[in-house]
Amino acid sequence: MRLDIEKILNNIEKVMIGKRNVAELSLVALLAEGHVLLEDVPGVGKTMMVRALAKSVNAKFKRIQFTPDLLPSDVTGISIYNPKDMEFQFRPGPLMGNIILADEINRTSPKTQSALLEGMEEGSVTIDGVTHILQKPFFVMATQNPIEYEGTFALPEAQLDRFLLKMKMGYPEIGEEMEVLNRAQKVPPIEDLTPVIDLEGLRAIQTEIKEVYVDSSVKRYIVDIAYGTRHHGSVYLGASPRGSIALMKAAQAYSFMRGRDYVLPDDIQYLAPFVFAHRIILKSEAKFEGITAEEVISRVIARVPVPVQRLVN
Amino acid sequence: MRNQAGERGKTSMQLYAIAFFMLWEWLRPIGKVTETSYLGVFIVFIALSFAGGYFQINKGLKVTIKLLYILGSVYNFYYSGGFFHFNWWNLFFTDLSKNAGFIGSGDWTALSDPFRTILFFTLLWLMVYLLQYWLLNRQRIFVFFLMTIIYITVLDTFTPYNAKWAIVRTVLAGFTVMGILTFSRIINKENVGKDSTSRRKWMIPLAVMLFLSGFVGMIAPKAAPVWPDPVPFLTSLNNKSGDEGNSGGIARIGYGTNDSRLGGPFIPDNSVVFTANTESSHYWKVESKEVYTGKGWTSPRKEARELFNKDEEVPFGRFPGDIKTEKEKVELNMNLLYNHIVYPYGTVKINAGKNVSFEADPVLEKIYSYMPNREPYRATQYSMDVEVPEYKVSALRSITGDEQTVLSPEFMARYTQLPNSLPSRVKRLAQEITAGKENWWDKANAIEDYFDLPDFTYDQKKVAVPGKKDDYVDQFLFKTKRGYCDNFSSSMTVMLRTLGIPARWVKGYAQGEFQKYDSENSNRQVFEVTNNNAHSWVEVYFPGQGWIPFEPTKGFDNSIKLNYEINSHSTNKSEAAPVTIQKKTPKNRLEEMEKNTVKSKAVKKEETALKKATVFIQMQWLKVLLGFLAIGILAYLLYNIRYRWLPHYFIFLFKWRKNDTQFAKAYMVLLKQLERYGLKRRDDQTLRSYAKYVDSFFTSNEMGRLTNRYEQMIYNNSLPKGSWNENRELWENLIKKTIA
């Protein structure tokens, strides 16, 4: 199974140059049955990345481009009257896929946002009183543009909490970008990607990941870090217990990906900024000083001692 | 660059100089407080050591010079013959090995002087090393400075050493050195280039402040001490009365000759002085003293000694003819040997063996035994013919002091002598007590009884030492009312003298403890007299009757035979049955004391061990102090270089442990050891990244491999069987790397 994961990553690397860590983290979210919020400017390959991922696991890929006038039904689907049958017929929206790219999620109205987020959280959508269960795996990769604020609706905290990880794509390095140009001259390679695993296999991995062992000393470490964010001087609102659960699940998936069946403090340290950064609110003073949530989290990590001995009960 | 080096040299020279002066302060009082002499040699030694450090002489050369210096000094002090002569080396090494044995057996007092000197040199060597370490490596001196201050103040308080200027010197030196060190620490920390202006900016205010504060401290008025000066108490404690010719009067009970300064507590001593085989109980007299000085008793008058042998009578102490006596033979077996004779009242003849002759000092009434060749003889056994007197109370009562004419004025002056400094209230008290008593007998008894009042307490421990202005007797009678035999007997003697009754102060032993009846003759009793029985009492002179002992001390009882002549009206004098009664009702104080000491054997043993330890510490306190200091320094050094020897210990320890759970312990030991080695793991550093760091340092992969297994163990809760055995090799290699 780990071979499968390696194959997926290699597959993605065929089209995405030099973004292995982003690919890895996306895969972590997918495997941990979470969702990802990508925060970056347009044109750095977010779509490419998700499409590659979807192709690799042979998933149904849908893309929603959020605009201010997008309606919830445009996302979830709508019942339309069919004069022939004399009854309403449900036409599924783009949400009824396996891997969904929700582009520029902060551009649309809160109403539409919440329709998407409900689906992400519940795994189902309710339309006209009928509940439609979404297919599994169900993985949303939402993007948001941090540069433009005009005419955007920032996601509220409670909704940011729905995302397992938040990360940045970043620009490629010079050599990498040249390679991107080289490839762009030919046919887009994405068309040539072949699936390396089917959805059934993916689900099996998801089940297996839940078995990855988390020692109580490591659990304690997670809790200590979460606790640290709640009591840090620059933090207005710290990470919630849901955040702690998210960190543990992400760490399980990450350990699995790294070929281990147990979680190390190293995993926690690596993942904590991605899991916690969007779950805490900084005080305004801290924001004015230019402190970022990631910085706060790394400071918290620097203060929490790593467990190096078994927890004595 | 050159300039900088010069600057550093200047600073470190100042540091070395100050360190030298501070260590010198430690040596200064030693000459005063102990019997150490030639302190200059030791001071030169520390100067030499510091100089060696400052000029950064080659290590081997340094050690050689110091060793040679030590050997040379020891040779100079204690040995003669050429330095390179085989003879003294031989002696020296035998001495060393002998002393090593003493150290092994903890027999500290047996250590010889040369060895002690060497130990002292070693201690100084260590101190110099430590000081250099503190000053140049740690750049911290506060602990040493504080210790110096404590040392000096303690010595100033508890010994005769006067540390007024030592304190000033130390404070100035200490603060200067701390100022310099702080400066250089700040310079290092902030990574500022040293230049002389910043130095001057720091040093000048420092010097001014130190000078001013020192000056103000000197001239400022100081509060009087809260406690009285403990020095007299301690000096007296240090002088044991068991030794002859000591200047103090307190400490260990037992017989001693010097009583010029009385007061202070004493330590009980159970050693047996002699056993006596007698028909009745006796007080054992050794000598008497005439002159009361206000602090104690002396006997400066000298008279020719009278010689006599075993067939001749003792030249003093005979009773006038009209006193009835009973003959008795007393045998003594001495345990502690003296060349003076311990004798009961009424001793007529002494027999200590054929050739032993005696000399009597008529002033002290002290008898010495001699061999025919005039060598002092320490008799182990002697017998005495004693005539036990029986006094007629009526005769005693008839003396009212009008008979003074009978006694020569010289005699009266001698035995009613009192120092001018004696407060007059002593006399007033004596008059008060004896008011209404007509004759000397009643007066003496009244005073004797006065001490039975519950106001007075018998105590051996909480006993005051008279200060410079105090009178020993006055202090006891009016202030403390707490003391032992010397207090009671001196007070009674002095009070009698204020009344014009001739009296003197007598020393010896009380009856001792009754042991058993003699197995051969059940009339005879065996008494055991220990140092605890050492005693003093009072003798009063009754014209026509002689010197009669009185016992004012609470809890003691000296029964003399008295004839109250109940049938004195009877015409037949010889028929008159004399009623012999004890002069005093027996007190049970002594018995109580005994009861307390009997208890259970275990308790007693413990107590004696404790007492022994206390006595040892009191007698050898400086050595004990130095010993602790040496141990402390040794422990500190061992602690400082623990990263060198601990691994060996751990490797040894874990070699024999087979249990896999030991792996966790071993790994933690390794982490600690690596930390001591200098590879510290930050708290937030995971084991994996730390292992990478360690491996990159040692250019190996062992830490990574070991850590991987440890991670399995603690984060995966899986411990494969035999894993410790597999991992031990990795672990040992890593530990060894830290020693290499």
Side-chain angles (χ1 to χ4, degrees), chain A residues 213 215 217-218 261-266 269 301-302 304-310, chain B residues 668 671 681 683-689 708 710-717:
Chain A
Y213 177 73
D215 192 75
S217 61
V218 178
D261 56 358
Y262 55 93
V263 176
L264 288 182
D266 303 71
Q269 285 193 352
I301 289 173
V304 177
V306 173
V308 293
Q309 273 172 302
R310 293 209 67 90
Chain B
M668 290 327 279
L671 285 188
R681 187 184 72 87
D683 264 355
D684 65 312
Q685 200 168 16
T686 59
L687 294 174
R688 207 161 254 232
S689 66
N708 210 327
Y710 183 69
E711 278 178 344
Q712 286 258 0
M713 185 181 146
I714 65 158
Y715 302 129
N716 198 20
N717 204 8

mmCIF file of all heavy atoms in Angstrom, chain A residues 213 215 217-218 261-266 269 301-302 304-310, chain B residues 668 671 681 683-689 708 710-717:
data_model
loop_
_atom_site.group_PDB
_atom_site.id
_atom_site.type_symbol
_atom_site.label_atom_id
_atom_site.label_comp_id
_atom_site.label_asym_id
_atom_site.label_seq_id
_atom_site.Cartn_x
_atom_site.Cartn_y
_atom_site.Cartn_z
ATOM 1 N N TYR A 213 -0.439 3.701 15.160
ATOM 2 C CA TYR A 213 -0.371 3.821 16.622
ATOM 3 C C TYR A 213 0.095 5.217 17.046
ATOM 4 O O TYR A 213 1.091 5.739 16.532
ATOM 5 C CB TYR A 213 0.601 2.772 17.166
ATOM 6 C CG TYR A 213 0.806 2.840 18.661
ATOM 7 C CD1 TYR A 213 -0.193 2.406 19.535
ATOM 8 C CD2 TYR A 213 1.976 3.346 19.201
ATOM 9 C CE1 TYR A 213 -0.003 2.474 20.896
ATOM 10 C CE2 TYR A 213 2.176 3.422 20.566
ATOM 11 C CZ TYR A 213 1.166 2.973 21.410
ATOM 12 O OH TYR A 213 1.347 3.042 22.757
ATOM 13 N N ASP A 215 1.224 6.909 20.462
ATOM 14 C CA ASP A 215 1.524 6.652 21.877
ATOM 15 C C ASP A 215 0.963 7.786 22.728
ATOM 16 O O ASP A 215 0.820 8.917 22.265
ATOM 17 C CB ASP A 215 3.033 6.565 22.077
ATOM 18 C CG ASP A 215 3.369 6.010 23.442
ATOM 19 O OD1 ASP A 215 3.218 4.801 23.629
ATOM 20 O OD2 ASP A 215 3.771 6.807 24.320
ATOM 21 N N SER A 217 2.347 9.333 25.016
ATOM 22 C CA SER A 217 3.289 10.442 25.183
ATOM 23 C C SER A 217 3.182 11.414 24.011
ATOM 24 O O SER A 217 3.289 12.628 24.179
ATOM 25 C CB SER A 217 4.714 9.909 25.307
ATOM 26 O OG SER A 217 5.073 9.209 24.147
ATOM 27 N N VAL A 218 2.928 10.863 22.821
ATOM 28 C CA VAL A 218 2.794 11.725 21.649
ATOM 29 C C VAL A 218 1.472 12.476 21.693
ATOM 30 O O VAL A 218 1.396 13.657 21.345
ATOM 31 C CB VAL A 218 2.922 10.886 20.361
ATOM 32 C CG1 VAL A 218 2.739 11.757 19.144
ATOM 33 C CG2 VAL A 218 4.277 10.206 20.326
ATOM 34 N N ASP A 261 4.303 2.689 11.212
ATOM 35 C CA ASP A 261 2.964 2.463 11.748
ATOM 36 C C ASP A 261 2.827 3.082 13.135
ATOM 37 O O ASP A 261 2.037 2.648 13.951
ATOM 38 C CB ASP A 261 2.606 0.977 11.754
ATOM 39 C CG ASP A 261 3.629 0.172 12.513
ATOM 40 O OD1 ASP A 261 4.619 0.770 12.985
ATOM 41 O OD2 ASP A 261 3.447 -1.046 12.637
ATOM 42 N N TYR A 262 3.639 4.059 13.415
ATOM 43 C CA TYR A 262 3.482 4.820 14.657
ATOM 44 C C TYR A 262 3.927 6.254 14.420
ATOM 45 O O TYR A 262 4.707 6.523 13.511
ATOM 46 C CB TYR A 262 4.323 4.199 15.781
ATOM 47 C CG TYR A 262 5.781 4.048 15.454
ATOM 48 C CD1 TYR A 262 6.691 5.035 15.808
ATOM 49 C CD2 TYR A 262 6.247 2.923 14.793
ATOM 50 C CE1 TYR A 262 8.031 4.910 15.510
ATOM 51 C CE2 TYR A 262 7.581 2.793 14.484
ATOM 52 C CZ TYR A 262 8.473 3.777 14.834
ATOM 53 O OH TYR A 262 9.784 3.651 14.533
ATOM 54 N N VAL A 263 3.401 7.133 15.241
ATOM 55 C CA VAL A 263 3.630 8.558 15.028
ATOM 56 C C VAL A 263 4.812 9.014 15.859
ATOM 57 O O VAL A 263 4.963 8.606 17.011
ATOM 58 C CB VAL A 263 2.367 9.362 15.416
ATOM 59 C CG1 VAL A 263 2.626 10.851 15.302
ATOM 60 C CG2 VAL A 263 1.211 8.961 14.526
ATOM 61 N N LEU A 264 5.649 9.863 15.282
ATOM 62 C CA LEU A 264 6.786 10.426 15.998
ATOM 63 C C LEU A 264 6.503 11.891 16.332
ATOM 64 O O LEU A 264 5.726 12.545 15.641
ATOM 65 C CB LEU A 264 8.037 10.390 15.118
ATOM 66 C CG LEU A 264 8.696 9.054 14.849
ATOM 67 C CD1 LEU A 264 9.924 9.279 14.003
ATOM 68 C CD2 LEU A 264 9.070 8.380 16.148
ATOM 69 N N PRO A 265 7.174 12.394 17.342
ATOM 70 C CA PRO A 265 7.047 13.835 17.616
ATOM 71 C C PRO A 265 7.490 14.661 16.409
ATOM 72 O O PRO A 265 6.998 15.765 16.210
ATOM 73 C CB PRO A 265 7.980 14.051 18.796
ATOM 74 C CG PRO A 265 8.068 12.742 19.461
ATOM 75 C CD PRO A 265 7.943 11.722 18.392
ATOM 76 N N ASP A 266 8.397 14.101 15.623
ATOM 77 C CA ASP A 266 8.846 14.823 14.434
ATOM 78 C C ASP A 266 7.662 15.121 13.510
ATOM 79 O O ASP A 266 7.575 16.211 12.927
ATOM 80 C CB ASP A 266 9.865 13.981 13.660
ATOM 81 C CG ASP A 266 11.050 13.601 14.512
ATOM 82 O OD1 ASP A 266 10.860 12.771 15.414
ATOM 83 O OD2 ASP A 266 12.146 14.145 14.288
ATOM 84 N N GLN A 269 5.693 17.956 14.898
ATOM 85 C CA GLN A 269 6.363 19.241 14.705
ATOM 86 C C GLN A 269 6.219 19.725 13.256
ATOM 87 O O GLN A 269 6.035 20.905 13.008
ATOM 88 C CB GLN A 269 7.843 19.115 15.048
ATOM 89 C CG GLN A 269 8.089 19.046 16.534
ATOM 90 C CD GLN A 269 9.557 19.248 16.861
ATOM 91 O OE1 GLN A 269 10.402 19.292 15.973
ATOM 92 N NE2 GLN A 269 9.846 19.365 18.144
ATOM 93 N N ILE A 301 5.994 25.540 19.664
ATOM 94 C CA ILE A 301 6.697 24.253 19.554
ATOM 95 C C ILE A 301 8.065 24.342 20.223
ATOM 96 O O ILE A 301 8.508 23.409 20.905
ATOM 97 C CB ILE A 301 6.819 23.848 18.076
ATOM 98 C CG1 ILE A 301 5.444 23.453 17.556
ATOM 99 C CG2 ILE A 301 7.794 22.689 17.915
ATOM 100 C CD1 ILE A 301 5.414 23.197 16.080
ATOM 101 N N ALA A 302 8.710 25.487 20.054
ATOM 102 C CA ALA A 302 10.041 25.640 20.644
ATOM 103 C C ALA A 302 9.981 25.600 22.162
ATOM 104 O O ALA A 302 10.983 25.346 22.819
ATOM 105 C CB ALA A 302 10.665 26.948 20.180
ATOM 106 N N VAL A 304 7.589 23.782 23.972
ATOM 107 C CA VAL A 304 7.048 22.541 24.541
ATOM 108 C C VAL A 304 8.114 21.453 24.431
ATOM 109 O O VAL A 304 8.629 21.207 23.352
ATOM 110 C CB VAL A 304 5.778 22.111 23.781
ATOM 111 C CG1 VAL A 304 5.264 20.801 24.330
ATOM 112 C CG2 VAL A 304 4.728 23.188 23.891
ATOM 113 N N PRO A 305 8.477 20.845 25.574
ATOM 114 C CA PRO A 305 9.504 19.801 25.508
ATOM 115 C C PRO A 305 8.999 18.564 24.771
ATOM 116 O O PRO A 305 7.850 18.155 24.947
ATOM 117 C CB PRO A 305 9.790 19.460 26.971
ATOM 118 C CG PRO A 305 8.914 20.312 27.792
ATOM 119 C CD PRO A 305 7.995 21.083 26.918
ATOM 120 N N VAL A 306 9.880 18.014 23.967
ATOM 121 C CA VAL A 306 9.550 16.800 23.230
ATOM 122 C C VAL A 306 9.552 15.631 24.209
ATOM 123 O O VAL A 306 10.453 15.534 25.048
ATOM 124 C CB VAL A 306 10.605 16.575 22.127
ATOM 125 C CG1 VAL A 306 10.390 15.237 21.458
ATOM 126 C CG2 VAL A 306 10.560 17.691 21.119
ATOM 127 N N PRO A 307 8.569 14.752 24.133
ATOM 128 C CA PRO A 307 8.616 13.599 25.038
ATOM 129 C C PRO A 307 9.713 12.640 24.590
ATOM 130 O O PRO A 307 9.753 12.254 23.428
ATOM 131 C CB PRO A 307 7.231 12.972 24.879
ATOM 132 C CG PRO A 307 6.786 13.393 23.532
ATOM 133 C CD PRO A 307 7.388 14.728 23.272
ATOM 134 N N VAL A 308 10.618 12.316 25.525
ATOM 135 C CA VAL A 308 11.681 11.370 25.165
ATOM 136 C C VAL A 308 11.632 10.151 26.071
ATOM 137 O O VAL A 308 12.493 9.291 25.993
ATOM 138 C CB VAL A 308 13.077 12.011 25.241
ATOM 139 C CG1 VAL A 308 13.221 13.062 24.174
ATOM 140 C CG2 VAL A 308 13.329 12.602 26.595
ATOM 141 N N GLN A 309 10.639 10.098 26.928
ATOM 142 C CA GLN A 309 10.509 8.931 27.792
ATOM 143 C C GLN A 309 9.056 8.516 27.792
ATOM 144 O O GLN A 309 8.175 9.304 27.462
ATOM 145 C CB GLN A 309 10.934 9.271 29.217
ATOM 146 C CG GLN A 309 12.405 9.110 29.454
ATOM 147 C CD GLN A 309 12.789 9.632 30.806
ATOM 148 O OE1 GLN A 309 12.574 10.792 31.133
ATOM 149 N NE2 GLN A 309 13.369 8.779 31.616
ATOM 150 N N ARG A 310 8.836 7.274 28.184
ATOM 151 C CA ARG A 310 7.447 6.814 28.258
ATOM 152 C C ARG A 310 6.712 7.597 29.320
ATOM 153 O O ARG A 310 7.286 7.962 30.346
ATOM 154 C CB ARG A 310 7.415 5.337 28.620
ATOM 155 C CG ARG A 310 7.967 4.436 27.576
ATOM 156 C CD ARG A 310 7.289 3.090 27.649
ATOM 157 N NE ARG A 310 5.898 3.204 27.277
ATOM 158 C CZ ARG A 310 5.481 3.059 26.034
ATOM 159 N NH1 ARG A 310 6.325 2.813 25.080
ATOM 160 N NH2 ARG A 310 4.188 3.176 25.751
ATOM 161 N N MET B 668 18.672 7.132 28.266
ATOM 162 C CA MET B 668 18.622 8.400 28.996
ATOM 163 C C MET B 668 20.005 8.745 29.542
ATOM 164 O O MET B 668 20.419 9.909 29.535
ATOM 165 C CB MET B 668 17.627 8.325 30.156
ATOM 166 C CG MET B 668 16.171 8.260 29.753
ATOM 167 S SD MET B 668 15.737 9.147 28.274
ATOM 168 C CE MET B 668 15.600 10.799 28.877
ATOM 169 N N LEU B 671 21.926 10.203 26.774
ATOM 170 C CA LEU B 671 21.552 11.596 26.504
ATOM 171 C C LEU B 671 22.238 12.530 27.493
ATOM 172 O O LEU B 671 22.795 13.557 27.118
ATOM 173 C CB LEU B 671 20.031 11.765 26.620
ATOM 174 C CG LEU B 671 19.176 11.222 25.492
ATOM 175 C CD1 LEU B 671 17.735 11.654 25.675
ATOM 176 C CD2 LEU B 671 19.689 11.700 24.146
ATOM 177 N N ARG B 681 20.873 18.494 23.852
ATOM 178 C CA ARG B 681 19.632 18.430 23.095
ATOM 179 C C ARG B 681 18.723 19.533 23.605
ATOM 180 O O ARG B 681 18.498 19.637 24.808
ATOM 181 C CB ARG B 681 18.951 17.079 23.301
ATOM 182 C CG ARG B 681 17.744 16.864 22.418
ATOM 183 C CD ARG B 681 17.077 15.549 22.756
ATOM 184 N NE ARG B 681 16.405 15.630 24.043
ATOM 185 C CZ ARG B 681 15.158 16.059 24.203
ATOM 186 N NH1 ARG B 681 14.442 16.424 23.166
ATOM 187 N NH2 ARG B 681 14.631 16.119 25.395
ATOM 188 N N ASP B 683 15.218 21.255 24.367
ATOM 189 C CA ASP B 683 13.993 20.609 24.841
ATOM 190 C C ASP B 683 13.030 20.325 23.700
ATOM 191 O O ASP B 683 12.294 19.352 23.714
ATOM 192 C CB ASP B 683 13.299 21.508 25.871
ATOM 193 C CG ASP B 683 13.665 21.099 27.270
ATOM 194 O OD1 ASP B 683 14.361 20.069 27.392
ATOM 195 O OD2 ASP B 683 13.256 21.785 28.214
ATOM 196 N N ASP B 684 13.029 21.222 22.718
ATOM 197 C CA ASP B 684 12.048 21.064 21.651
ATOM 198 C C ASP B 684 12.626 20.269 20.484
ATOM 199 O O ASP B 684 11.999 20.163 19.453
ATOM 200 C CB ASP B 684 11.587 22.435 21.169
ATOM 201 C CG ASP B 684 12.720 23.197 20.514
ATOM 202 O OD1 ASP B 684 13.813 23.249 21.111
ATOM 203 O OD2 ASP B 684 12.517 23.723 19.410
ATOM 204 N N GLN B 685 13.832 19.736 20.682
ATOM 205 C CA GLN B 685 14.452 18.992 19.597
ATOM 206 C C GLN B 685 14.006 17.534 19.684
ATOM 207 O O GLN B 685 14.087 16.927 20.749
ATOM 208 C CB GLN B 685 15.972 19.080 19.745
ATOM 209 C CG GLN B 685 16.715 18.772 18.482
ATOM 210 C CD GLN B 685 18.184 19.145 18.609
ATOM 211 O OE1 GLN B 685 18.671 19.346 19.706
ATOM 212 N NE2 GLN B 685 18.863 19.233 17.484
ATOM 213 N N THR B 686 13.553 17.014 18.552
ATOM 214 C CA THR B 686 13.131 15.612 18.590
ATOM 215 C C THR B 686 14.375 14.738 18.582
ATOM 216 O O THR B 686 15.454 15.163 18.192
ATOM 217 C CB THR B 686 12.258 15.271 17.378
ATOM 218 O OG1 THR B 686 13.027 15.521 16.214
ATOM 219 C CG2 THR B 686 11.007 16.106 17.352
ATOM 220 N N LEU B 687 14.177 13.497 19.037
ATOM 221 C CA LEU B 687 15.304 12.581 19.140
ATOM 222 C C LEU B 687 15.960 12.380 17.786
ATOM 223 O O LEU B 687 17.160 12.280 17.655
ATOM 224 C CB LEU B 687 14.824 11.249 19.699
ATOM 225 C CG LEU B 687 14.332 11.333 21.132
ATOM 226 C CD1 LEU B 687 13.740 10.008 21.554
ATOM 227 C CD2 LEU B 687 15.474 11.717 22.055
ATOM 228 N N ARG B 688 15.117 12.360 16.761
ATOM 229 C CA ARG B 688 15.619 12.092 15.423
ATOM 230 C C ARG B 688 16.571 13.206 14.977
ATOM 231 O O ARG B 688 17.673 12.946 14.508
ATOM 232 C CB ARG B 688 14.432 12.038 14.481
ATOM 233 C CG ARG B 688 14.647 11.206 13.284
ATOM 234 C CD ARG B 688 13.294 10.879 12.733
ATOM 235 N NE ARG B 688 12.981 9.495 13.029
ATOM 236 C CZ ARG B 688 12.592 8.636 12.080
ATOM 237 N NH1 ARG B 688 12.463 9.032 10.837
ATOM 238 N NH2 ARG B 688 12.335 7.399 12.389
ATOM 239 N N SER B 689 16.142 14.430 15.161
ATOM 240 C CA SER B 689 16.997 15.517 14.681
ATOM 241 C C SER B 689 18.236 15.621 15.561
ATOM 242 O O SER B 689 19.316 15.958 15.093
ATOM 243 C CB SER B 689 16.229 16.829 14.632
ATOM 244 O OG SER B 689 15.876 17.240 15.922
ATOM 245 N N ASN B 708 16.623 5.206 16.369
ATOM 246 C CA ASN B 708 15.536 4.563 15.660
ATOM 247 C C ASN B 708 14.906 3.464 16.510
ATOM 248 O O ASN B 708 13.682 3.356 16.624
ATOM 249 C CB ASN B 708 16.101 3.954 14.377
ATOM 250 C CG ASN B 708 15.058 3.948 13.306
ATOM 251 O OD1 ASN B 708 13.873 3.805 13.621
ATOM 252 N ND2 ASN B 708 15.468 4.118 12.065
ATOM 253 N N TYR B 710 15.134 3.195 19.734
ATOM 254 C CA TYR B 710 14.521 3.774 20.934
ATOM 255 C C TYR B 710 13.155 4.361 20.608
ATOM 256 O O TYR B 710 12.202 4.210 21.365
ATOM 257 C CB TYR B 710 15.454 4.856 21.497
ATOM 258 C CG TYR B 710 14.954 5.468 22.775
ATOM 259 C CD1 TYR B 710 14.927 4.735 23.952
ATOM 260 C CD2 TYR B 710 14.480 6.774 22.813
ATOM 261 C CE1 TYR B 710 14.454 5.281 25.125
ATOM 262 C CE2 TYR B 710 14.012 7.335 23.976
ATOM 263 C CZ TYR B 710 14.007 6.580 25.132
ATOM 264 O OH TYR B 710 13.539 7.133 26.299
ATOM 265 N N GLU B 711 13.072 4.990 19.429
ATOM 266 C CA GLU B 711 11.777 5.543 19.006
ATOM 267 C C GLU B 711 10.740 4.439 18.920
ATOM 268 O O GLU B 711 9.621 4.595 19.393
ATOM 269 C CB GLU B 711 11.915 6.184 17.628
ATOM 270 C CG GLU B 711 12.478 7.592 17.658
ATOM 271 C CD GLU B 711 12.638 8.156 16.263
ATOM 272 O OE1 GLU B 711 12.605 7.368 15.292
ATOM 273 O OE2 GLU B 711 12.808 9.364 16.139
ATOM 274 N N GLN B 712 11.148 3.325 18.314
ATOM 275 C CA GLN B 712 10.259 2.157 18.228
ATOM 276 C C GLN B 712 9.727 1.817 19.608
ATOM 277 O O GLN B 712 8.563 1.525 19.791
ATOM 278 C CB GLN B 712 11.047 0.945 17.733
ATOM 279 C CG GLN B 712 11.383 0.977 16.295
ATOM 280 C CD GLN B 712 10.444 0.078 15.526
ATOM 281 O OE1 GLN B 712 9.571 -0.543 16.122
ATOM 282 N NE2 GLN B 712 10.614 0.038 14.226
ATOM 283 N N MET B 713 10.663 1.885 20.561
ATOM 284 C CA MET B 713 10.303 1.447 21.890
ATOM 285 C C MET B 713 9.334 2.405 22.550
ATOM 286 O O MET B 713 8.334 1.996 23.122
ATOM 287 C CB MET B 713 11.570 1.327 22.712
ATOM 288 C CG MET B 713 11.309 0.768 24.058
ATOM 289 S SD MET B 713 12.858 0.714 24.912
ATOM 290 C CE MET B 713 12.258 1.053 26.506
ATOM 291 N N ILE B 714 9.640 3.690 22.465
ATOM 292 C CA ILE B 714 8.779 4.571 23.249
ATOM 293 C C ILE B 714 7.568 5.064 22.464
ATOM 294 O O ILE B 714 6.513 5.249 23.030
ATOM 295 C CB ILE B 714 9.532 5.762 23.869
ATOM 296 C CG1 ILE B 714 10.068 6.693 22.816
ATOM 297 C CG2 ILE B 714 10.615 5.305 24.801
ATOM 298 C CD1 ILE B 714 10.312 8.053 23.406
ATOM 299 N N TYR B 715 7.700 5.259 21.151
ATOM 300 C CA TYR B 715 6.542 5.796 20.432
ATOM 301 C C TYR B 715 5.694 4.697 19.827
ATOM 302 O O TYR B 715 4.574 4.930 19.423
ATOM 303 C CB TYR B 715 6.986 6.771 19.334
ATOM 304 C CG TYR B 715 7.791 7.936 19.868
ATOM 305 C CD1 TYR B 715 9.009 8.288 19.328
ATOM 306 C CD2 TYR B 715 7.298 8.710 20.926
ATOM 307 C CE1 TYR B 715 9.739 9.355 19.815
ATOM 308 C CE2 TYR B 715 8.021 9.774 21.429
ATOM 309 C CZ TYR B 715 9.244 10.091 20.866
ATOM 310 O OH TYR B 715 9.956 11.148 21.358
ATOM 311 N N ASN B 716 6.265 3.511 19.713
ATOM 312 C CA ASN B 716 5.482 2.423 19.133
ATOM 313 C C ASN B 716 5.164 1.387 20.196
ATOM 314 O O ASN B 716 4.478 0.416 19.923
ATOM 315 C CB ASN B 716 6.264 1.779 17.983
ATOM 316 C CG ASN B 716 5.367 0.961 17.086
ATOM 317 O OD1 ASN B 716 4.158 1.177 17.107
ATOM 318 N ND2 ASN B 716 5.941 0.037 16.357
ATOM 319 N N ASN B 717 5.698 1.578 21.366
ATOM 320 C CA ASN B 717 5.421 0.667 22.459
ATOM 321 C C ASN B 717 5.766 -0.761 22.102
ATOM 322 O O ASN B 717 5.093 -1.693 22.504
ATOM 323 C CB ASN B 717 3.942 0.776 22.855
ATOM 324 C CG ASN B 717 3.727 0.332 24.272
ATOM 325 O OD1 ASN B 717 4.703 0.085 24.975
ATOM 326 N ND2 ASN B 717 2.496 0.221 24.680
#
